[in-house]
Amino acid sequence: MAEVIWGLATSHVPSIGAAMDRGKTDDPNWKALFDGYAPARAWLAEHQPDVAIVVYNDHANGIDLDFIPTFGLGTAERYEVADEGFGRRPVPDVLGHPELSFHLVESLVDEGFDLTVFQELAVDHGFTVPLSVWTPDPGDAWPCPVIPLLVNVIQYPQPTAARCYALGQALGRAIRSYPDDLTVGVLGTGGMSHQLAGTRAGFINPDFDHMWMESIETDPARLAALSREELIRQAGSEGIELIMWLIMRGAMHDQVTKVHSDYFVPASNTAAGIALFDNTPPAG
């Protein structure tokens, strides 16, 4: 059967990708953030999965704002990198895994998650920046096939934290029921606290972020109990992206081992976090 071997939570701030693409990672404004990625990258390089699943949100680049599904999953053989108005990022297109994708769609629909299915999809920074956080120098191809799992975090009403955690748990069961022996990495993206518009533009809440970083490891049910309104109040209107971390965490065992975490403020008016978890069951 297939199994989840690790989960990676990371912010997907577009300027992180731009800093990498333009050779700015050693710039004084960026060095601390990229230094914070180094231990996770080293561990991930030694634990390459057969397939990865990226839980992310589109930013009106792959899909139109007139059509925002609550949850969607890609089943394509290939996903092109979107041009977000200033040229596409200089990173490879993404190869998919249609066989596992179709299995996930069937399993999740059978569990009551009515997914929108994307047979064609262009992926934007919400998808490619986390891949770059994982693999900074992919060359001509990313380390493995990747499946996109989209979440609506930009139009009200967004799914609740509880619904996202439940989707993650169902995703974990679906992966484990796949008959072939595959190892899977799951990336939950977005956040951390930030608000980009309105009277609270520039809002960042480090206390909340640190609570989230601790609880995503030890008590995800506490986070799943937060209402949509409380999340926006504590993390900002865009900070609600953190619900996507709960999908990643739900797909893993109740007990996980933290490999590395780091927190950086600010990354383009956003609190940026990374948390990597080993999903290998404890011996004995």
Side-chain angles (χ1 to χ4, degrees):
M1 69 176 188
E3 60 175 338
V4 176
I5 59 171
W6 52 254
L8 175 66
T10 177
S11 304
H12 62 219
V13 182
S15 57
I16 293 175
M20 296 180 64
D21 299 342
R22 298 170 185 173
K24 301 289 187 181
T25 57
D26 286 328
D27 184 284
N29 292 322
W30 286 107
K31 190 176 187 306
L33 178 133
F34 288 102
D35 286 350
Y37 290 163
R41 285 171 165 172
W43 189 91
L44 288 165
E46 299 296 323
H47 298 80
Q48 297 285 12
D50 297 315
V51 186
I53 298 170
V54 176
V55 184
Y56 82 109
N57 69 284
D58 180 75
H59 301 78
N61 294 298
I63 55 179
D64 192 90
L65 286 174
D66 291 334
F67 177 70
I68 304 292
T70 300
F71 299 118
L73 195 135
T75 59
E77 293 184 355
R78 187 182 191 91
Y79 305 94
E80 293 186 356
V81 174
D83 182 344
E84 302 186 45
F86 42 85
R88 55 168 283 165
R89 290 191 63 212
V91 295
D93 287 337
V94 179
L95 298 181
H97 196 295
E99 296 81 9
L100 179 57
S101 290
F102 283 117
H103 172 80
L104 296 178
V105 169
E106 182 178 22
S107 297
L108 293 172
V109 168
D110 286 350
E111 289 222 31
F113 291 92
D114 299 325
L115 302 173
T116 298
V117 177
F118 289 91
Q119 299 182 56
E120 295 182 4
L121 181 67
V123 292
D124 68 4
H125 69 268
F127 190 93
T128 65
V129 168
L131 290 182
S132 294
V133 170
W134 165 21
T135 304
D137 299 303
D140 294 330
W142 298 105
C144 65
V146 186
I147 297 172
L149 198 167
L150 294 89
V151 182
N152 168 35
V153 299
I154 62 175
Q155 286 192 345
Y156 185 88
Q158 302 92 336
T160 63
R163 186 65 170 162
C164 288
Y165 189 45
L167 173 57
Q169 293 171 317
L171 177 64
R173 291 190 291 270
I175 292 168
R176 292 190 295 274
S177 70
Y178 189 67
D180 294 348
D181 291 333
L182 290 177
T183 56
V184 180
V186 182
L187 292 84
T189 76
M192 297 186 81
S193 64
H194 64 298
Q195 180 152 330
L196 302 180
T199 58
R200 293 203 306 167
F203 173 80
I204 290 175
N205 187 348
D207 290 340
F208 178 83
D209 290 338
H210 288 298
M211 181 280 292
W212 188 279
M213 292 278 279
E214 178 180 351
S215 297
I216 198 71
E217 175 192 359
T218 61
D219 192 7
R222 173 188 181 186
L223 305 179
L226 294 171
S227 69
R228 183 187 300 112
E229 293 74 20
E230 182 65 10
L231 267 171
I232 292 174
R233 188 179 73 82
Q234 293 277 8
S237 54
E238 281 74 32
I240 197 173
E241 292 171 350
L242 286 166
I243 58 177
M244 297 186 288
W245 290 30
L246 283 167
I247 297 176
M248 173 276 297
R249 184 64 181 86
M252 304 179 75
H253 298 307
D254 290 341
Q255 292 187 332
V256 295
T257 301
K258 184 172 75 173
V259 176
H260 175 68
S261 66
D262 195 60
Y263 181 73
F264 179 86
V265 172
S268 183
N269 293 321
T270 302
I274 183 172
L276 174 61
F277 302 106
D278 183 353
N279 198 45
T280 305

